[in-house]
Amino acid sequence: MTQHYRRGAVHKFGGTSVINAKQDKAIISGAVNTFRTIRNYTDEGYMVIVLSGIGKTDSTQEGRKATDHAYDIVKGIHPDCAWRNIKGLYQRNIAEHGLDTKLLEPSFRDIEKILASGNIDKVAEARIVGFPERAKVRLAYEVAKVMYKDTQFAIIDGRTGMVGQANGNYRDVPIDHSASLDAIAELARDKDLKGKVIFVPGFVGTRAKITGRAVTLERGSSDATATYWGSALDLDEVVIFSDQSGILPIDPRIVPDVKPLEQLTYRETAVFAGLGASIIQDVAIRPAEERRIPVVVRHSSGNNGVGTSIGVCPPSLDHFGVKAIAADTGYYLITVQNVRMNETGIAQHIQGMFAQSGFNIAYHQDGDDCLVFGVKDDGDLNQLLGNLGKNHQVSLDTPMTRLALVGEGINAYRHLNPHQSARDLFTDVLAENDIPDLAYSRVDGAISLSTFIPERYTELALQKLARSLKFK
């Protein structure tokens, strides 16, 4: 059944969906057909297309996605080779479409000038890393104008509406939430975007709302670009097109043949994504939840079902109230002992040591005379342990997996079935299979139960929990 929109929609496509001309044309056709379902679309409708850079074409080094090659350049990893690979991807894409071979020459020269200078500063890094998205949007915009001469198109570049926080960086910058919503609304008015199909690059922004130099947002923020545009313009729906037919409740590489979830609440999605689910980024959920914009995750082919709807829905009591099982690997579990818990400011002082060593604290639990921290492997561990060890005894467990059950219905099911809850099943399954669990966490009102287990038990734990919770 055809969806009819009141104001419009956003379609977001990842790198695997924009590799070749056939895919590009299908994206444009689908968007234009959707645009024409909007009431008074030529005057009032918005149709936004958010695109990533060209994705992985094969398993070779050269076939990696364009953004990976861009990161190689700024990291100094064979930059000339990485640039040749990026340039080749876009030259082939241009040739497939039969477009003017000089279409992207100004953009190519801009990057090549930076490389020739040998001075890749923070500003230049953002221009390089954001190039694949900007180039793809420019290419798709030119193709669309050839395909549909009776439709108005717009391209958003430079000032994209997405605003990064003013933290001194230009690359991998967190999103400024309020400023981005305001900037997109202002941009739509200033550029008179009503009645147009709009091409927007994913995860590219600026340091200031109206002016300011370009930044790239924290990696994976293409999803957030889509939901911020949909929320700022109060559109009817944001569709995240993927290489999967929806959000799966368990990692399909470990537990195959599970069905995609039909529905998730905003809160369930944010928690699941924050615990390692890679199909949508947790930062993308906030604007959609705040403005109550429905989000759908669907297969990019359009032929694999309706996908997973994210929005307002009642809690489910199926599977003991559990919607998903998350397993996020790559953690250190650090226990700081001999802590005088009644000493003013001691917890803040210890947490400051983690920040100084480049760690974000993902988990924190207080004991009688100890503090337990779960952190990702992304900081200077030797520096951290040295600083902590000056005044405290420290123990380290690694590598660890954060294992979690997620569902709005977990607490409701427990109240209705006090002798058969997800909490009891969770701990029983781990104990029955001799899987050590450390730092179990359950907070009243929370929608998840979590613990840390040694990484080597991850597959076993997921398989046993999937069976016990009747996902298989």
Side-chain angles (χ1 to χ4, degrees):
M1 186 173 64
T2 302
Q3 172 78 54
H4 291 278
Y5 292 115
R6 177 179 56 88
R7 286 180 55 84
V10 181
H11 287 180
K12 181 265 174 180
F13 292 88
T16 57
S17 300
V18 296
I19 292 171
N20 57 51
K22 181 179 179 181
Q23 291 175 312
D24 295 341
K25 290 176 180 177
I27 288 169
I28 294 164
S29 295
V32 170
N33 290 336
T34 298
F35 179 56
R36 291 173 177 173
T37 70
I38 303 168
R39 299 172 193 169
N40 302 319
Y41 67 90
T42 55
D43 298 317
E44 298 294 326
Y46 293 100
M47 183 66 223
V48 182
I49 305 173
V50 176
L51 298 179
S52 297
I54 293 177
K56 180 179 177 181
T57 57
D58 56 48
S59 57
T60 66
Q61 178 70 14
E62 294 77 12
R64 294 159 66 224
K65 58 186 177 182
T67 304
D68 285 344
H69 290 303
Y71 272 96
D72 282 351
I73 294 173
V74 301
K75 292 175 182 177
I77 302 172
H78 306 297
D80 291 338
C81 179
W83 173 243
R84 284 196 301 272
N85 288 329
I86 293 174
K87 191 173 180 180
L89 286 170
Y90 287 90
Q91 286 174 328
R92 286 191 292 274
N93 201 198
I94 290 169
E96 278 187 302
H97 284 292
L99 295 172
D100 186 343
T101 57
K102 296 181 180 180
L103 173 64
L104 294 178
E105 281 303 319
S107 300
F108 290 156
R109 285 196 298 271
D110 179 48
I111 301 300
E112 287 164 356
K113 184 178 179 180
I114 295 171
L115 297 178
S117 73
N119 179 30
I120 303 179
D121 59 14
K122 290 182 178 180
V123 177
E125 285 182 356
R127 286 161 66 186
I128 292 167
V129 174
F131 173 83
E133 271 71 11
R134 293 185 187 278
K136 189 67 207 189
V137 161
R138 169 60 61 183
L139 197 156
Y141 169 70
E142 297 297 338
V143 172
K145 289 194 298 181
V146 173
M147 290 177 65
Y148 293 96
K149 299 185 185 300
D150 60 344
T151 301
Q152 292 190 72
F153 297 95
I155 182 170
I156 304 300
D157 201 1
R159 177 185 162 204
T160 66
M162 296 298 293
V163 181
Q165 295 178 13
N167 64 358
N169 294 323
Y170 287 86
R171 181 163 61 89
D172 304 330
V173 179
I175 296 167
D176 186 320
H177 175 71
S178 297
S180 294
L181 291 170
D182 291 345
I184 291 167
E186 290 178 20
L187 185 63
R189 289 193 298 269
D190 292 350
K191 288 187 174 288
D192 192 22
L193 296 179
K194 280 186 178 180
K196 297 175 183 175
V197 177
I198 309 153
F199 289 89
V200 181
F203 106 110
V204 176
T206 57
R207 289 190 68 187
K209 188 168 67 173
I210 302 301
T211 60
R213 287 177 167 169
V215 300
T216 55
L217 304 169
E218 50 196 302
R219 203 162 185 194
S221 289
S222 290
D223 292 343
T225 301
T227 57
Y228 272 89
W229 271 81
S231 300
L233 300 180
D234 189 28
L235 302 187
D236 299 277
E237 186 175 66
V238 174
V239 184
I240 308 293
F241 287 97
S242 165
D243 56 2
Q244 295 184 17
S245 52
I247 298 177
L248 299 172
I250 314 168
D251 188 337
R253 296 168 298 181
I254 297 173
V255 183
D257 302 323
V258 291
K259 295 181 179 179
L261 294 162
E262 292 183 5
Q263 290 182 318
L264 282 171
T265 66
Y266 295 113
R267 193 178 178 198
E268 287 170 337
T269 308
V271 171
F272 191 28
L275 289 168
S278 59
I279 195 95
I280 189 170
Q281 301 300 317
D282 55 341
V283 72
I285 302 304
R286 181 182 176 186
E289 180 175 18
E290 188 176 281
R291 301 288 177 93
R292 290 297 190 265
I293 305 299
V295 180
V296 179
V297 177
R298 185 177 296 152
H299 198 282
S300 57
S301 70
N303 298 321
N304 291 41
V306 296
T308 301
S309 297
I310 300 167
V312 178
C313 59
S316 170
L317 298 181
D318 294 338
H319 311 293
F320 298 83
V322 176
K323 281 278 188 76
I325 309 173
D328 196 12
T329 59
Y331 278 91
Y332 297 136
L333 198 61
I334 299 172
T335 303
V336 184
Q337 300 171 332
N338 302 327
V339 178
R340 296 177 62 187
M341 300 300 287
N342 61 348
E343 181 179 337
T344 302
I346 185 63
Q348 184 177 2
H349 173 68
I350 290 174
Q351 289 173 13
M353 295 184 191
F354 282 83
Q356 291 167 10
S357 299
F359 288 99
N360 292 315
I361 298 171
Y363 169 85
H364 170 214
Q365 187 176 60
D366 295 348
D368 293 334
D369 63 350
C370 67
L371 297 171
V372 182
F373 298 92
V375 295
K376 278 285 195 174
D377 179 11
D378 55 7
D380 188 334
L381 182 62
N382 290 332
Q383 180 189 55
L384 174 63
L385 295 179
N387 289 338
L388 291 172
K390 291 176 182 178
N391 296 303
H392 305 281
Q393 183 179 343
V394 181
S395 63
L396 172 69
D397 293 289
T398 186
M400 303 295 287
T401 292
R402 190 173 189 182
L403 187 68
L405 308 183
V406 180
E408 295 263 17
I410 290 175
N411 289 322
Y413 188 94
R414 179 169 62 88
H415 288 304
L416 294 171
N417 302 275
H419 302 296
Q420 191 183 31
S421 69
R423 179 181 61 184
D424 296 332
L425 184 145
F426 191 29
T427 54
D428 289 348
V429 167
L430 298 179
E432 289 167 3
N433 291 281
D434 294 324
I435 300 173
D437 66 301
L438 306 169
Y440 174 79
S441 174
R442 182 190 68 82
V443 178
D444 287 341
I447 64 165
S448 66
L449 309 169
S450 74
T451 190
F452 287 86
I453 64 172
E455 228 174 70
R456 65 182 180 276
Y457 292 102
T458 303
E459 290 192 16
L460 176 63
L462 282 177
Q463 290 164 353
K464 296 296 184 180
L465 285 169
R467 187 173 297 115
S468 296
L469 288 166
K470 301 179 181 177
F471 281 102
K472 288 289 289 183

